Amino acid sequence: MVVAVLLLLLSATGSADDTAQRAQEILAQRCVVCHACYDAPCQLKLEAHEGLSRGASKTLVYDSTRLLAGDLTRLFDDAHSPREWRDKGFFPVLDANTPQQGVMRRILELKQANPLPSTGALPDGFDFDLHRDQQCPKPGEFDRFARDYPLWGMPYGLPGLQPEEHAILGRWLDAGAPPLAPEPLPDAVATEVTAWESFLNAPDNKSRLMARYVYEHLFLATLHLENRDNPHWFRLVRSSTAPGEPVEIIATRRPFDDPGYSDFYYRLQRMPVVVARKSHQPYRFDRARRDWYRDLFLAPEYEVPALPGYAEETAGNPFLNFAAIPVRARYRFLLEDAEFTIMNFIKGPVCRGQIALNVIDDRFWVMFLDPDQLEPELDGPFLEQESHNLRLPTATSGSVIDLLDWRRYARAHKRYMRAKDKHLREQYAQQGRKPGLEAIWDGDGDNPNAALTIFRHVDTASVVKGFVGDTPKTAWVITYSLLERIHYLLVANFDVFGAVSHQLESRLYMDFLRMEGELNLLLFLPADQRQELWDHWYRGAPDAVREHQFIRSESIQLESPLDYQSEDPKAEFLGWMRQRIHAAGAANFDYRHSASPAMAAAFDRLVAARGKHNRFLPAVSFIHVIGSQRDEAYTLLHDAGYSNIAQLFREDERRLPEEDGLTVVAGIIGSHPNQFFQIHEKQVPLFVADILALRTDEDMALLRYRYGVRRNSPWFWSVSDRLHTLQREQDSRAAGVFDYNRYHGY
């Protein structure tokens, strides 16, 4: 993936394979940082050679004005040759006849001829807004582009390539940009591929139902079949061809759509990509995992008399389609790698999306009901009975008309919440009391997925294991049905190419799911404090939210059996959970374990000081701390305060900057840094003091001048390379190239 810059300073001579290898390294370090996933400018995706061959498009993937579902342009799926991509409106950035005239070659030359000034602010004219108008010049338009925007060479708004780097890329492009030959798969990995494809395509109904369930939950996973730092990556796909034959992708809009074949196969497709952190979702897929699936799904005694079909009205309803699989097996599957399960909606189809993500707080903790407790959410007959009320919004026409169905889903959710209230009261009556601490999953004593922290960074988000930071404003207790609905709403059913109506429906329905998780938490707190907490979380929200039917239910009035001693039972309960749940302490992110005493004391002051001064800081800042013995990475995360997050628009009007806080962690959290700070360890107390003294935009500009790394700083790429290396040392398997589309320009 990312390698030391020293490799790029080696001799410019060498074989064609050496040149191609070095070119790929430069692309990873300098190009993929902006050109990956759906938000790659001009859809020029450079994390794979197929993206370079495909070229660019003037059509936006993220289009908030789209009234009809858009054309699908997923790399590897929706076209398989440059000619097919040309038919979809993509134009070449390489020139096979005259390589020097290719758009990519010329835009790199433009940067070399017109470098950014290395001091001071960037010149006027640069636009780093995510919704900016993009200039996507076709070959015949490039001369005018160069005249109009001479400073817009690539990398855009960042320092140009070093001469050695530019020379290597130039030779490679002049040679036709040949792809690297794929490294042969080790025999052990090839054997695993064969074993998995045999396992997932067994002919009996029990195995076929299991395979469909696994596919609909892992279709976005980056699978590794070997236990090493740099594994080969695969994805699980549906193919019209059987194991042993070349994979022929069945490309459907959603994973639960009708494949169109009576006979199809689940296959493992090797992914020849540079790993981009923002979309990378590693998932272990080895022999031990296969044996666990066998014990989980196939060993229990149950019958599957018939397989579910793909009818439009039921295909996206897991409570109907997988009713035959024991609920605890499904829940255990989701819990075993709960960080991955949640990561799907954070790193999944959206890559970015304030519509999808402004439905969550800036930082909150997540816990799960224990799968071995007799909880109503694990009652199979209850879930099957309520399956129609649990049906999620699915765009059928792909038009604004879909919003007319919204009330139907809202009414169904209300019916479900009434049924849940009744079922809870019946269960409590049978058991004689409400559940206590034992109802929260503790990770079985060794699974670190039982406690998670989710951070929202405006229109992106992160999830990590453990409870990170001080006690948050809210927390969720997630049940099986809630976790399943989150997945099908925001992952399996979320269509980034869909009409705006579909995305609005998803956002509106997620309000229900967020509130359900919060209400589950309230059930564990003293009954006389639940309404007060709810009112605080939803200050200024519409009456329908503040007077949610479940907050008025009989279940919510039943007293908790827990013995609280403090005046802050929420903090007391979450403190118990931090002590009780395996690995909830998140020691790996605790800066006190790595920072010097002076640094730790300074960070303590920073975290303790909530207030308006924090509002000037961006959502995600990476801090490169240089010490006398070693250098380290820290992340500074802005926790923005809001009166409520239950409304779709006018978010700025609900901001409460006096409640803004900061979370400091050791290591890297986040894929989209907004700012780099580079500081000597002795400067950290001064850096913190300057943050605490922020009062104006001018103060923030001075902070950036003293400690920040500007987009045009000559040392920008050296800091970038070092932070990538430190990230890899932190967790090599989860590491990937950062995304700089949100890096602040000044």
Side-chain angles (χ1 to χ4, degrees):
M1 206 259 310
V2 176
V3 297
V5 172
L6 181 61
L7 289 174
L8 303 175
L9 302 179
L10 296 175
S11 169
T13 62
S15 68
D17 285 344
D18 288 342
T19 299
Q21 178 64 49
R22 292 182 213 167
Q24 297 303 316
E25 293 162 357
I26 297 167
L27 286 173
Q29 292 172 296
R30 306 292 181 254
C31 304
V32 175
V33 291
C34 290
H35 286 274
C37 201
Y38 294 123
D39 54 358
C42 303
Q43 294 199 57
L44 180 59
K45 289 164 57 71
L46 297 178
E47 66 261 49
H49 192 274
E50 284 80 354
L52 181 62
S53 299
R54 176 176 80 164
S57 170
K58 294 178 182 286
T59 302
L60 296 175
V61 173
Y62 296 100
D63 184 357
S64 60
T65 66
R66 186 163 52 216
L67 299 182
L68 298 175
D71 189 21
L72 298 173
T73 57
R74 298 165 298 184
L75 195 62
F76 299 112
D77 288 348
D78 300 314
H80 302 283
S81 69
R83 180 180 294 277
E84 291 179 3
W85 286 117
R86 302 296 168 261
D87 292 340
K88 284 182 171 286
F90 283 75
F91 58 86
V93 297
L94 304 174
D95 190 320
N97 298 319
T98 312
Q100 293 81 3
Q101 294 301 311
V103 168
M104 185 168 178
R105 185 75 156 92
R106 296 190 68 189
I107 208 163
L108 291 169
E109 294 282 2
L110 184 65
K111 187 56 163 276
Q112 294 293 305
N114 300 276
L116 295 178
S118 59
T119 59
L122 287 176
D124 292 339
F126 283 97
D127 185 358
F128 301 111
D129 188 275
L130 286 177
H131 304 287
R132 66 183 181 269
D133 291 333
Q134 296 184 7
Q135 300 292 329
C136 305
K138 294 182 177 181
E141 301 167 345
F142 193 84
D143 288 341
R144 180 175 179 178
F145 170 83
R147 288 195 303 271
D148 292 346
Y149 308 104
L151 292 177
W152 286 19
M154 294 296 152
Y156 174 76
L158 291 167
L161 304 180
Q162 291 296 313
E164 296 86 353
E165 297 171 332
H166 182 74
I168 290 169
L169 270 188
R171 288 201 308 275
W172 178 66
L173 291 168
D174 290 348
L180 278 174
E183 176 188 348
L185 284 179
D187 290 344
V189 176
T191 299
E192 273 298 296
V193 171
T194 300
W196 270 111
E197 292 187 344
S198 175
F199 178 71
L200 292 172
N201 291 292
D204 62 285
N205 279 1
K206 210 171 183 180
S207 295
R208 292 174 68 188
L209 188 62
M210 172 202 69
R212 176 171 172 177
Y213 187 79
V214 169
Y215 169 70
E216 290 186 12
H217 290 81
L218 297 188
F219 70 99
L220 291 178
T222 39
L223 307 172
H224 57 96
L225 283 63
E226 53 196 320
N227 186 23
R228 66 180 185 127
D229 287 343
N230 296 294
H232 299 87
W233 299 106
F234 294 82
R235 66 169 178 161
L236 185 59
V237 300
R238 296 189 295 186
S239 172
S240 59
T241 52
E245 302 176 29
V247 171
E248 293 290 342
I249 298 291
I250 297 174
T252 57
R253 190 171 285 267
R254 298 176 179 83
F256 52 75
D257 287 344
D258 190 337
Y261 292 83
S262 57
D263 293 320
F264 66 91
Y265 306 89
Y266 296 103
R267 305 287 304 277
L268 293 184
Q269 182 187 32
R270 188 176 178 183
M271 298 304 292
V273 298
V274 172
V275 173
R277 183 180 172 99
K278 64 182 176 180
S279 56
H280 182 49
Q281 301 182 70
Y283 185 90
R284 179 176 56 82
F285 216 54
D286 56 8
R287 179 176 179 178
R289 179 78 73 182
R290 192 164 59 252
D291 290 342
W292 183 68
Y293 283 180
R294 189 176 287 111
D295 291 340
L296 186 69
F297 291 114
L298 303 182
E301 294 185 7
Y302 61 93
E303 299 294 326
V304 183
L307 293 170
Y310 291 94
E312 191 174 78
E313 61 273 11
T314 59
N317 191 329
F319 306 105
L320 276 178
N321 294 331
F322 304 111
I325 300 176
V327 175
R328 279 178 175 77
R330 288 179 262 161
Y331 193 25
R332 278 287 181 184
F333 171 85
L334 298 175
L335 284 186
E336 182 71 12
D337 293 86
E339 181 191 31
F340 166 82
T341 303
I342 296 293
M343 193 184 297
N344 269 264
F345 101 78
I346 284 173
K347 287 189 174 183
V350 291
C351 288
R352 82 171 195 232
Q354 196 164 2
I355 289 293
L357 292 175
N358 73 355
V359 72
I360 59 175
D361 280 291
D362 268 30
R363 182 176 63 89
F364 60 99
W365 293 350
V366 168
M367 299 154 283
F368 304 90
L369 280 185
D370 192 311
D372 293 328
Q373 290 293 315
L374 292 176
E375 292 299 324
E377 295 278 354
L378 295 179
D379 187 328
F382 170 72
L383 289 178
E384 190 170 2
Q385 170 190 310
E386 291 298 314
S387 60
H388 290 288
N389 287 331
L390 291 170
R391 181 171 178 247
L392 298 168
T394 302
T396 54
S397 65
S399 71
V400 174
I401 296 298
D402 294 331
L403 283 175
L404 298 179
D405 289 335
W406 172 247
R407 291 184 178 180
R408 178 162 53 89
Y409 294 114
R411 288 194 297 268
H413 185 265
K414 286 184 177 181
R415 289 195 296 271
Y416 167 69
M417 293 302 288
R418 284 197 296 268
K420 177 180 177 179
D421 173 42
K422 180 175 181 292
H423 201 70
L424 275 171
R425 286 186 282 109
E426 291 173 352
Q427 292 249 325
Y428 295 157
Q430 292 174 10
Q431 297 174 12
R433 69 181 187 95
K434 288 182 63 178
L437 298 182
E438 75 284 352
I440 302 294
W441 184 46
D442 65 359
D444 304 318
D446 60 2
N447 191 326
N449 285 274
L452 304 176
T453 300
I454 296 177
F455 298 90
R456 176 198 163 202
H457 322 300
V458 185
D459 61 358
T460 68
S462 303
V463 56
V464 296
K465 297 184 182 78
F467 289 158
V468 179
D470 292 338
T471 303
K473 181 175 76 173
T474 66
W476 298 4
V477 174
I478 293 184
T479 62
Y480 162 69
S481 79
L482 181 54
L483 193 56
E484 196 77 274
R485 280 176 285 156
I486 289 173
H487 176 81
Y488 274 85
L489 178 72
L490 294 180
V491 185
N493 183 46
F494 193 90
D495 180 12
V496 71
F497 297 92
V500 64
S501 60
H502 159 66
Q503 298 180 24
L504 286 173
E505 281 185 339
S506 299
R507 162 61 174 84
L508 291 168
Y509 197 91
M510 186 58 194
D511 266 329
F512 296 153
L513 304 188
R514 181 198 64 250
M515 289 188 285
E516 193 173 331
E518 293 169 341
L519 287 163
N520 288 339
L521 170 70
L522 292 181
L523 289 172
F524 290 89
L525 303 183
D528 62 355
Q529 298 196 27
R530 293 168 188 159
Q531 183 71 56
E532 182 181 351
L533 265 175
W534 186 259
D535 289 343
H536 178 70
W537 294 344
Y538 291 100
R539 289 166 286 175
D543 290 345
V545 173
R546 288 185 293 104
E547 299 177 6
H548 189 285
Q549 68 182 68
F550 199 76
I551 199 71
R552 304 291 189 188
S553 69
E554 294 184 42
S555 296
I556 208 77
Q557 308 305 320
L558 299 176
E559 189 55 78
S560 166
L562 301 177
D563 183 19
Y564 289 99
Q565 300 296 317
S566 73
E567 295 183 359
D568 188 349
K570 182 196 72 174
E572 191 174 358
F573 177 76
L574 294 177
W576 292 339
M577 293 298 99
R578 201 169 201 168
Q579 294 297 317
R580 182 178 181 274
I581 299 175
H582 175 71
N588 56 315
F589 290 116
D590 190 343
Y591 57 80
R592 298 174 187 86
H593 294 173
S594 58
S596 68
M599 286 174 55
F603 286 149
D604 284 345
R605 292 195 299 275
L606 191 62
V607 170
R610 302 188 77 86
K612 292 183 178 181
H613 62 281
N614 294 318
R615 74 186 187 276
F616 296 100
L617 289 162
V620 182
S621 301
F622 292 167
I623 308 173
H624 182 216
V625 176
I626 302 171
S628 55
Q629 301 296 322
R630 65 187 187 279
D631 63 334
E632 297 170 330
Y634 294 84
T635 306
L636 187 61
L637 298 158
H638 182 189
D639 305 334
Y642 296 90
S643 59
N644 73 81
I645 52 168
Q647 295 163 272
L648 181 59
F649 301 112
R650 295 189 289 188
E651 185 175 281
D652 289 345
E653 296 179 10
R654 291 178 279 114
R655 282 281 283 117
L656 298 175
E658 63 273 14
E659 297 184 7
D660 282 15
L662 298 175
T663 300
V664 180
V665 300
I668 299 292
I669 290 180
S671 306
H672 308 79
N674 307 122
Q675 179 70 61
F676 295 157
F677 292 109
Q678 191 173 45
I679 313 170
H680 192 276
E681 62 180 354
K682 294 181 179 179
Q683 291 180 296
V684 170
L686 294 174
F687 173 65
V688 168
D690 285 347
I691 291 176
L692 296 176
L694 291 173
R695 296 296 181 271
T696 66
D697 290 333
E698 289 73 21
D699 293 339
M700 185 62 202
L702 183 59
L703 184 83
R704 284 184 170 132
Y705 175 77
R706 288 175 174 168
Y707 311 103
V709 180
R710 300 187 311 275
R711 273 183 166 268
N712 57 331
S713 295
W715 56 92
F716 179 92
W717 290 120
S718 64
V719 176
S720 170
D721 291 338
R722 185 56 186 154
L723 287 169
H724 275 102
T725 298
L726 291 172
Q727 171 218 202
R728 187 169 180 80
E729 292 173 359
Q730 173 184 328
D731 188 345
S732 61
R733 205 162 292 163
V737 177
F738 302 135
D739 183 272
Y740 295 157
N741 280 298
R742 293 164 178 78
Y743 198 88
H744 287 186
Y746 61 97

